[in-house]
């Protein structure tokens, strides 16, 4: 999964880097024989803290971002009947992690420029049941966290940032995760770095760390320190309802190997996004597509998304790309349309309604050669300029 893609091969939307450094790290962790949470899990957390330049904040690794978001919900003690204001336009992992507590989602619209929750539409949805706001950094672009934090402070709310897409993104020069209230990252199979499945949670209060360790591991009060030394503590207390969502040693070793390369992954992806933008600039000028209007300088792009101005043309474009051997994806469907969330309270969602019909995700990988990039841009251009 790291060599060039043959000209006759289908270009997948995702292609994680699983080169020799990664397999060597996994093999060495397997041979070490300590498979569960251990020293490598702590090493990985420290490496995340260094990469994000966390000053006093700590990273707690988990087995997915969904579980990190669930721990965030438990940390702020969401209760049945509590409300969380969240974009409909995001992956349902965030909604599911929160509603698992019995809390309710209140769907809020996104802003048109970056498709993250629109701070101007949040306050009208706040009631005395509102406990938190879920903000998502769509495709790697930073959400409007400062404005959201300001609203939250005024109303006594917590802010959970779903930064599954934004590991490595800077917002006004600050790495995502180094500021804000609670931030959750994904290291899933196709994210900026992968631990196969994995995630992490970072909070502003270092005092949360021991609570998160307990929540992450069955409510056990004292086991994490021993496990971080590849040991077990056989005498422990259980002090709360906990879950089991820690990150084991082999995934952590894979994560450490990936972190060694993350700066190159980010640089490459930024470069490919700029090349896509340049190739589609005339299509944007003609009004065929909309681009996100970023120079990508501070963005760690997880996916590259085009907005097809006329939603009626998207299905034909998807088909055209498929025939040219280019896979595409859709991020996201509107969660307010899912049966499970049919009764959820919501504000007006005009931007969400349109964006869900327009967005189209093109292939973006940590390593892409000129031929692959050319096949993608040619396929898109030949649809609009036959
Ligand atoms: C915005 C968003 N949040 C959360 C997740 C869930 O991440 P994970 O698969 O690590 O649980 C995803 C997964 O793609 C996502 O896109």
């Amino acid at each position: 999964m790291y060599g060039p893609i043959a000209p006759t091969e289908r270009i997948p939307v995702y292609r994680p880097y699983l080169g020799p450094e990664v397999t060597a790290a996994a093999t060495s962790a397997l041979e070490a024989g300590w498979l569960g949470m251990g020293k490598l899990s702590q090493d990985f957390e420290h490496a995340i803290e260094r990469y994000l330049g966390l000053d006093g904040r700590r990273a707690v690794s988990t087995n997915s971002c969904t579980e990190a978001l669930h721990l965030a919900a438990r940390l702020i003690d969401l209760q049945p009947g509590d409300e969380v204001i969240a974009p409909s336009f995001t992956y349902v992992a965030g909604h599911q992690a929160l509603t698992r507590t019995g809390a309710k989602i209140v769907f809020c619209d996104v802003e048109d420029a970056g498709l993250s929750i629109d701070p101007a539409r949040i306050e009208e949805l706040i009631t005395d049941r509102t406990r938190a706001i879920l903000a998502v950094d769509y495709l790697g672009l930073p959400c409007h966290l400062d404005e959201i934090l300001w609203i939250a402070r005024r109303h006594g709310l917590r802010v959970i940032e779903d930064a599954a897409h934004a590991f490595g993104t800077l917002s006004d020069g600050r790495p995502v995760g180094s500021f804000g209230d609670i931030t959750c990252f994904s290291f899933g199979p196709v994210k900026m770095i992968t631990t196969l499945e994995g995630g992490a949670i970072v909070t502003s209060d270092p005092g949360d760390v021991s609570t998160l360790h307990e929540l992450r591991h069955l409510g056990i009060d004292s086991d994490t320190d021993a496990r971080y030394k590849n040991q077990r503590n056989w005498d422990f207390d259980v002090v709360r309802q906990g879950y089991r969502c820690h990150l084991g040693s082999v995934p952590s070793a894979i994560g450490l190997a990936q972190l060694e390369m993350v700066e190159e992954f980010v640089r490459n992806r930024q470069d490919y996004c700029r090349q896509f933008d340049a190739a589609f600039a005339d299509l944007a000028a003609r009004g065929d597509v909309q681009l996100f209007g970023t120079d990508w300088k501070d963005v760690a792009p997880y996916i590259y998304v085009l907005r097809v101005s006329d939603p009626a043309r998207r299905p034909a474009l998807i088909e055209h790309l498929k025939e040219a051997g280019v896979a595409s994806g859709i991020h996201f469907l509107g969660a307010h349309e899912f049966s499970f969330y049919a009764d959820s309270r919501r504000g007006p969602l005009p931007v969400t309604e349109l964006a869900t019909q327009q967005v189209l995700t093109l292939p973006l990988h940590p390593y892409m050669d000129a031929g692959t990039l050319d096949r993608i841009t040619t396929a898109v251009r030949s649809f609009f300029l036959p």
Side-chain angles (χ1 to χ4, degrees):
M1 286 293 273
Y2 62 95
I5 297 176
T8 49
E9 212 180 316
R10 176 177 164 276
I11 304 172
V13 176
Y14 305 113
R15 199 163 186 259
Y17 177 77
L18 297 176
E21 310 84 338
V22 178
T23 42
T27 306
S28 147
L30 282 167
E31 285 170 357
W34 185 274
L35 301 182
M37 180 165 67
K39 182 178 179 308
L40 286 166
S41 313
Q42 188 181 37
D43 291 348
F44 181 52
E45 290 172 345
H46 288 334
I48 294 168
E49 290 158 6
R50 281 194 300 278
Y51 175 60
L52 296 178
L54 301 186
D55 187 10
R57 293 179 178 225
R58 302 264 306 277
V60 175
S61 57
T62 56
N63 61 5
S64 71
C65 181
T66 307
E67 290 304 322
L69 290 160
H70 175 237
L71 293 193
R74 298 294 178 185
L75 182 71
I76 66 170
D77 197 25
L78 277 185
Q79 294 291 328
D82 287 348
E83 291 186 345
V84 181
I85 298 175
S88 163
F89 187 78
T90 181
Y91 191 48
V92 73
H95 308 122
Q96 286 274 300
L98 299 173
T99 56
R100 188 169 156 190
T101 63
K104 292 187 179 337
I105 294 294
V106 177
F107 289 118
C108 181
D109 210 2
V110 287
E111 38 78 38
D112 190 60
L115 302 183
S116 69
I117 191 166
D118 186 348
R121 307 314 303 251
I122 292 175
E123 276 187 300
E124 67 205 35
L125 298 173
I126 295 176
T127 66
D128 53 9
R129 293 187 301 281
T130 310
R131 292 285 320 286
I133 302 166
L134 176 74
V136 182
D137 303 304
Y138 180 59
L139 66 76
L141 300 170
C143 65
H144 301 279
L145 194 62
D146 289 318
E147 276 175 80
I148 295 163
L149 289 168
W150 187 76
I151 294 168
R153 245 190 315 274
R154 287 201 332 173
H155 295 272
L157 308 177
R158 302 297 300 265
V159 177
I160 301 172
E161 181 180 13
D162 177 349
H165 295 193
F167 187 67
T169 288
L170 304 181
S171 175
D172 290 330
R174 303 158 297 176
V176 164
S178 69
F179 67 107
D181 186 359
I182 304 174
T183 314
C184 299
F185 294 103
S186 174
F187 309 126
V190 296
K191 294 299 191 304
M192 180 61 75
I193 64 163
T194 183
T195 55
L196 308 186
E197 299 285 358
I201 176 167
V202 175
T203 78
S204 58
D205 180 357
D208 291 337
V209 170
S210 56
T211 310
L212 287 168
H213 285 170
E214 291 162 7
L215 285 168
R216 176 177 70 174
H217 197 239
L218 301 171
I220 295 174
D221 68 340
S222 56
D223 209 20
T224 299
D225 290 344
R227 284 178 189 256
Y228 280 174
K229 298 188 188 90
N230 287 1
Q231 293 169 5
R232 288 289 297 274
N233 176 8
W234 299 108
D235 177 22
F236 54 80
D237 191 13
V238 174
V239 295
R240 64 175 74 242
Q241 175 63 58
Y243 309 91
R244 192 174 185 284
C245 56
H246 55 265
L247 194 68
S249 292
V250 181
S252 298
I254 293 171
L256 280 162
Q258 294 253 327
L259 261 179
E260 290 283 319
M261 313 180 66
V262 67
E263 284 169 14
E264 186 166 271
F265 294 169
V266 172
R267 260 197 321 274
N268 288 351
R269 286 170 176 267
Q270 290 171 332
D271 180 38
Y272 307 146
C273 288
R274 289 190 193 107
Q275 292 190 47
F276 284 142
D277 279 354
F280 305 141
D282 57 339
L283 302 182
R286 283 160 44 100
D288 291 328
V289 298
Q290 291 161 244
L291 309 176
F292 281 83
T294 169
D295 62 7
W296 302 103
K297 187 169 71 65
D298 289 338
V299 180
Y302 160 55
I303 45 178
Y304 183 87
V305 175
L306 278 180
R307 287 175 73 176
V308 183
S309 303
D310 176 1
R313 301 196 73 189
R314 187 176 68 174
L317 173 57
I318 292 171
E319 208 42 48
H320 179 86
L321 293 177
K322 205 163 149 189
E323 276 161 25
V326 177
S328 59
I330 293 177
H331 296 85
F332 291 105
L333 306 175
H336 65 286
E337 299 197 41
F338 295 139
S339 336
F340 187 65
Y341 294 112
D343 297 332
S344 300
R345 198 160 71 77
R346 62 201 62 187
L349 299 169
V351 182
T352 301
E353 302 274 6
L354 184 59
T356 53
Q357 306 289 313
Q358 290 182 319
V359 286
L360 189 70
T361 305
L362 298 181
L364 184 67
H365 313 157
Y367 296 96
M368 298 174 92
D369 59 23
T372 303
L373 290 165
D374 185 57
R375 278 176 64 198
I376 297 165
T377 54
T378 302
V380 173
R381 289 179 58 74
S382 62
F383 176 76
F384 291 106
L385 303 169

